[in-house]
Amino acid sequence: VLVSLSNARIHGLVLKNETRFVVHLNTFGYFANGTLEVRLKSLYLPQEKKSDYANYAVGFSLSRARVNGVFSYPAENMDRCTLSKTKSDDNLILFIIDTRNLSVHITSFGKLDAILKSDLKKEEKQVRKRREDTDPKPGSDQSPSKSVGGDKVNKKPEEVDEKSKMPVASQVNSLNGMTLALNKKEDYSYNFTFHITMGDLSQGLYSLAFHNCYNMRPGILSPYSISVEIEEKNPAGFLSAAEIPLPRLYICMAAMFLSAAIIWTCALLKDRYSVFKIHWLMAALAYTKALSLVFHSINYHFINTEGHPIEGWAVMYYITHLLKGALLFITLALIGTGFAFVKYILSDKEKKIFMIVIPLQVLANVAYIIIEETEEGASEYTLWREVLFLVDLLCCGAILFPVVWSIRHLQEASNTDGKAAMNLAKLKLFRHYYVMIVCYIYFTRIIAILLKMTVPFQWQWCQEFLIEVSTLVFFVLTGFKFRPASNNPYLQLPQDEEDVEMDEVVTESGALEGISKVKKTSNGRERQREPAL
């Protein structure tokens, strides 16, 4: 699972025998002076259909997203190829590959102040050189910049950018109409490179995609192969604009979860005789959550500084993330069934829920790891993302089923058996907990997504903040409701005014779990507790 072609924010994608007409390569949020470098290492097109490809556009598109959220891709027109657009209200740059003339034509729409570095086509260099000779030179001949057709040229064509080791044709404020050089290798593959620096007006959330308009025709599946490397960077590091605050956020939340876990452990040690095994399971969940956040923060720190995660830290994060997910849903389901607080035996139906939830959680975590380690443009990326979304919803729904079954069963039993009334009263007290679970799911699955879709691109980290804060509040409230104390008002049962006779099983503590004494009471409000022998 951990082996992949993905290399964090320095991406490397290799697709062989691909038939998709559009491949979404990546989505990244750029601040001012953020950079994008795309190196098309090889592009193989069917040679027998070379003449057909001349009539259909092939190339890249870089578009600023209309919606800053999980559905951040620009709306695709399925009837028309993006590369064939002649007008657009959005910020859009098209790199159209012309294999016949070995050139890449650039078309731009919207207000852009991006700067392009690339190798211009020979004819383009000659045209710009003639413009340089005819335009008046400002100041002296030693002026480092010259006016070329309204564009500002900062470097000569023969210069080489030392940082990117790439020939620099020009750096211009207007990209529309430029023509780049396309190289052809002996194996009939094509390659070229371009580097873009974003200006103040161009910062935003951008989507990079590869298009093969030939495959848009009905019934046409012409396989092609492509190898591309993408390097995205902001002034502060390799993280996207929305991810820059995440390392600090995760380490702060880890400290808060660790503090809550220590306080919970002290409470367990203080009142040992009222502690059940599930209380220690809740403590293990809190510690695992804190440890997972620590590794997550470290993972993002190295991605930001190095452009890729350190394998050891990434593996530790995935292990703790998997354990945390499994412990979370097991604990929620156990508390929801009233295990240890109401009963000590699970029904067959409840056992089946655990047999379903645990494998689903493993599958969800495997899907999450694959998504993290797979390039966005890979064909299996979308599949695993949908699997993660579906499985996560199934797990959230599954932990609510035992609660509904128990209430329904006890409601039916209480009509014929008066002994079930006490358990029914206890289970009704758990309604607060059920509402807490529903609110937790609602805030972390629905509200968080809506928040990410509505806030500006640089504030999308608020989604993670909402999820972590909601989780912390949920953990704290759950611990408070089910704290191990003999005088816990949440676990005390209000009785009816009328006198009833029932069998009351008095259990002294978790340590004496299963040892009880049957005591007859004539008044439900007078509850006698006698220590078990």
Side-chain angles (χ1 to χ4, degrees), residues 147-158:
S147 176
V148 182
D151 299 334
K152 184 178 180 181
V153 180
N154 297 318
K155 295 185 180 181
K156 296 181 180 180
E158 60 271 12

Side-chain angles (χ1 to χ4, degrees), residues 59-111:
F60 296 90
S61 69
L62 180 65
S63 54
R64 185 157 65 180
R66 299 178 184 176
V67 180
N68 293 329
V70 289
F71 306 108
S72 56
Y73 300 125
E76 293 285 350
N77 188 346
M78 303 302 294
D79 299 328
R80 186 177 182 183
C81 184
T82 302
L83 299 181
S84 61
K85 284 187 176 181
T86 57
K87 60 180 181 179
S88 176
D89 297 331
D90 304 321
N91 281 13
L92 175 65
I93 307 175
L94 305 178
F95 298 85
I96 304 175
I97 298 175
D98 184 357
T99 57
R100 178 179 298 176
N101 299 314
L102 294 180
S103 59
V104 179
H105 304 288
I106 300 180
T107 304
S108 64
F109 305 96
K111 297 180 180 179

